[in-house]
Amino acid sequence: MAKALPKRSENYSEWYNEIVKRADLAENSAVRGCMVIKPYGFAIWEKMQRALDDMFKATGHQNAYFPLFVPKSFLEKEEEHAEGFAKECAVVTHYRLKANPDGKGLIVDPDAKLEEELIIRPTSETVIWNAYKNWIQSWRDLPLLINQWANVVRWEMRTRIFLRTAEFLWQEGHTAHATEQEAIDETHQMLGIYAEFAEGWMAMPVVQGIKTESERFAGAEETFCIEALMQDGKALQSGTSHFLGQNFARVFDVQFVNKENQLEYAWATSWGVSTRLMGALIMAHSDDNGLVLPPKLAPIQTVIIPIYRSPEDLATISKTLEPLIGQLKAAGISVKYDDSDHQRSGWKFAEYELRGVPVRLGIGMRDIENGTVEVARRDTLTKDSRPIDFSQPEAFVAGIKELLDEIQDAIYQKALDFREANTFLVDTWEEFKEQIEKGGFIMAHWDGTAETEAAIKEETKATIRCIPLLSADMAGKCVYSGRESPKRVLFARAY
RNA sequence: CGGGGCGUAGCACAGCCUGGUAGUGCGCACGGUUUGGGACCGUGAGGCCGCAAGUUCGAAUCUUGCCGCCCCGACCA
């Protein structure tokens, strides 16, 4: 028997690492800090991409692609942006290798030094706005609504698979607008799309909010985010949407002629989500038996496992199941019929649980005689036997479709209940220090100063995840300084 | 970059202290018995013991240097 997963309660990070490996999502690569995303993991990412991409397209965005390399001079232009990213950039200095004259192997050819170093993009604002300079002349060229799916590199000190890798996959939207208000509206719209995706597809409730100045994206006027609570009580920033003002338009000189024939700088936004969402998905729902996937993102929504003794039985079962498999597919349900002969049914049960397949159907000779199917739910680990007409399985399939919807809702509700049970209103500093050790979201008053924010971080490792958008203003006293505060903000320890 | 741990078969590890034929479990291949919650028996394949130098008749084992990975901190989507 294969080793059980580590328990969440005993060693959360080991549980996480093991689940990533054992569910066959990804593995560490030979390259430090970088991951190999395996087919099953990539299939989930592709489903995320598809859903998000459809939402981007539905709101008028188009995909394009910009280069991996950013000339150093581009990155330097926007001062805060440059400062924010400088310490985590991979730099290309040469363009050629040559045989080592002193021995084996290859060396960097010193004669092939680049005149200007190229940065491997940590984000693409600069390359993209350099291009936009030529794309935008008139108000008629606006808004310009572009997204790209790409990889980026941020040379992190310490990495964790999916959550923080040196190279990761993401999408970055970069839009240009004629007015400030339009850009602000876009920033909000995309934040809303991220929240809708997180909640509707990932079944992961999120808090939408504004970042404080110290947590803001380098070069942005305002950063909005969605924050989710993981099962170990830590927060995970799961998406960001930035209002960039005219900062990048100014430094790249992107001006357009408005309706009054006057030159104006364009207004910008950028927004992104990354393969970090894979980590969020794992940590939001999975249990000690393995991954739990929301049906909308599961590469396999239903797995069918035949239970048999002889090859003849298997042939009978396979034949009997043909209409059912056909109907499931016709209903748009992704189904895998695992009739492989080298693993036994019990092994398969455990394996598909580990991989988070939402619904498992077990069918043996007894079921065929009785006209039943064993239906097992991954989220609750419950089983029941349902009647089926194997030659006309439409009614049964409708029931499975319903069940998948029910599971999607149930795991969202479970995650929401967890978040509500782990969100605390805290009014005293003593209580704050005590609660932060236990984990969870803390809603507390803050005096609005960076000093207080830094002091709280220093003393408790908790950061202000965001100033929530949807909670009402209600004045109070800062939990740390006792000064006036207009509303509560969201504190947590974060990934 | 600090502190800790580890590099031996695809994976998990033992062997190292005290130098002398490279091992165990899982997985893999083949055969058989099994099959409603991770089956069992038998046979077999699979290794430059992280790399390099040194000590030695002889190094997985001792010495030195290097490289890599993981965990904990500082930095971060």
Side-chain angles (χ1 to χ4, degrees):
Chain A
M1 192 173 93
K3 203 179 63 184
L5 279 175
K7 302 231 177 304
R8 282 168 295 177
S9 54
E10 286 167 11
N11 190 339
Y12 194 82
S13 65
E14 201 190 326
W15 167 83
Y16 174 82
N17 289 335
E18 279 296 309
I19 216 168
V20 168
K21 264 190 267 178
R22 301 265 294 277
D24 219 22
L25 301 176
E27 62 191 26
N28 287 309
S29 72
V31 185
R32 192 205 76 102
C34 296
M35 61 183 162
V36 176
I37 305 176
K38 298 186 75 175
Y40 190 62
F42 205 79
I44 298 170
W45 175 240
E46 284 179 313
K47 294 201 99 172
M48 289 182 172
Q49 282 186 298
R50 170 65 69 89
L52 286 162
D53 203 60
D54 286 348
M55 291 189 224
F56 299 157
K57 302 274 172 62
T59 43
H61 301 85
Q62 292 180 291
N63 284 332
Y65 187 78
F66 296 86
L68 173 66
F69 301 119
V70 181
K72 190 170 68 121
S73 57
F74 284 19
L75 198 76
E76 283 165 352
K77 287 200 176 188
E78 214 286 334
E79 204 175 334
E80 282 189 19
H81 188 69
E83 225 175 89
F85 283 103
K87 58 191 177 300
E88 53 190 35
C89 287
V91 186
V92 179
T93 56
H94 293 75
Y95 58 85
R96 195 163 65 207
L97 300 172
K98 64 174 188 180
N100 184 355
D102 302 328
K104 289 183 297 186
L106 298 168
I107 59 165
V108 173
D109 186 343
D111 296 331
K113 194 166 174 3
L114 289 170
E115 248 171 65
E116 179 181 357
E117 291 94 345
L118 295 171
I119 312 303
I120 299 183
R121 64 180 163 218
T123 180
S124 301
E125 276 76 4
T126 57
V127 203
I128 288 177
W129 278 83
N130 180 70
Y132 283 0
K133 178 181 165 59
N134 300 319
W135 296 10
I136 297 170
Q137 269 114 47
S138 148
W139 66 274
R140 293 179 195 276
D141 297 324
L142 298 172
L144 182 57
L145 305 174
I146 304 288
N147 175 65
Q148 86 164 339
W149 289 95
N151 59 339
V152 288
V153 167
R154 296 182 187 175
W155 209 267
E156 301 291 349
M157 297 286 187
R158 215 180 132 212
T159 58
R160 288 199 66 189
I161 201 155
F162 286 127
L163 297 174
R164 187 174 304 104
T165 44
E167 180 192 15
F168 55 93
L169 306 184
W170 76 346
Q171 57 70 216
E172 45 180 327
H174 295 273
T175 69
H177 304 264
T179 66
E180 177 176 22
Q181 190 55 49
E182 206 184 280
I184 289 172
D185 290 347
E186 167 79 0
T187 313
H188 280 104
Q189 174 183 242
M190 299 322 289
L191 184 75
I193 283 177
Y194 288 155
E196 188 186 331
F197 174 75
E199 298 187 339
W201 292 75
M202 296 176 68
M204 180 177 76
V206 291
V207 175
Q208 302 181 46
I210 309 173
K211 285 292 187 191
T212 62
E213 193 179 343
S214 61
E215 298 276 333
R216 194 179 285 162
F217 176 76
E221 295 290 312
E222 202 76 88
T223 288
F224 296 83
C225 63
I226 53 173
E227 292 283 332
L229 182 63
M230 301 294 105
Q231 291 183 64
D232 62 345
K234 286 168 84 172
L236 184 74
Q237 179 177 308
S238 305
T240 50
S241 182
H242 315 290
F243 169 61
L244 301 173
Q246 294 172 307
N247 296 343
F248 287 91
R250 282 212 179 82
V251 295
F252 287 96
D253 193 30
V254 182
Q255 297 190 74
F256 67 95
V257 179
N258 66 18
K259 291 178 190 174
E260 284 77 43
N261 198 31
Q262 290 161 335
L263 276 179
E264 274 188 68
Y265 288 111
W267 297 84
T269 81
S270 70
W271 27 274
V273 294
S274 72
T275 37
R276 170 177 261 201
L277 289 180
M278 293 287 294
L281 189 67
I282 296 162
M283 290 198 292
H285 306 304
S286 302
D287 62 23
D288 291 347
N289 293 301
L291 204 56
V292 174
L293 291 174
K296 284 187 177 178
L297 294 176
I300 302 167
Q301 293 172 312
T302 301
V303 65
I304 305 178
I305 297 176
I307 296 151
Y308 59 94
R309 287 164 198 269
S310 64
E312 292 74 33
D313 287 354
L314 176 59
T316 305
I317 293 168
S318 297
K319 185 82 189 141
T320 307
L321 287 179
E322 275 172 19
L324 172 59
I325 294 168
Q327 283 298 320
L328 284 166
K329 285 181 180 163
I333 297 170
S334 57
V335 54
K336 175 170 176 174
Y337 176 49
D338 188 350
D339 61 349
S340 63
D341 198 27
H342 69 295
Q343 303 292 6
R344 307 186 348 148
S345 51
W347 190 92
K348 291 177 188 174
F349 294 168
E351 183 65 13
Y352 290 105
E353 263 163 29
L354 189 57
R355 286 169 170 254
V357 175
V359 172
R360 184 187 75 231
L361 307 180
I363 294 150
M365 293 305 284
R366 276 205 316 257
D367 293 301
I368 291 183
E369 283 160 29
N370 301 339
T372 56
V373 172
E374 183 185 83
V375 180
R377 276 176 76 147
R378 176 61 185 91
D379 62 329
T380 55
L381 294 169
T382 52
K383 294 191 279 201
D384 64 281
S385 188
R386 297 192 180 195
I388 183 174
D389 179 343
F390 283 108
S391 57
Q392 294 197 311
E394 287 81 356
F396 177 83
V397 167
I400 295 302
K401 206 167 171 54
E402 248 170 61
L403 178 61
L404 288 167
D405 291 343
E406 199 182 314
I407 293 171
Q408 182 80 32
D409 293 345
I411 64 178
Y412 174 77
Q413 193 58 45
K414 190 177 173 191
L416 184 61
D417 291 347
F418 176 83
R419 189 187 76 188
E420 294 192 340
N422 289 282
T423 299
F424 307 95
L425 295 186
V426 167
D427 290 313
T428 69
W429 182 234
E430 279 311 308
E431 203 187 331
F432 188 101
K433 284 191 289 191
E434 205 179 305
Q435 186 55 52
I436 204 70
E437 291 300 326
K438 297 184 200 154
F441 279 170
I442 292 182
M443 296 292 294
H445 283 287
W446 166 57
D447 63 20
T449 68
E451 295 72 41
T452 296
E453 188 184 8
I456 292 174
K457 185 177 178 183
E458 175 69 27
E459 288 186 41
T460 64
K461 292 179 188 158
T463 48
I464 298 177
R465 301 319 304 153
C466 67
I467 302 158
L469 289 175
L470 302 176
S471 72
D473 288 7
M474 179 100 64
K477 303 274 192 227
C478 174
V479 73
Y480 188 80
S481 68
R483 289 195 286 252
E484 295 297 321
S485 154
K487 71 185 282 187
R488 290 177 189 270
V489 301
L490 177 60
F491 285 92
R493 285 188 182 154
Y495 274 99

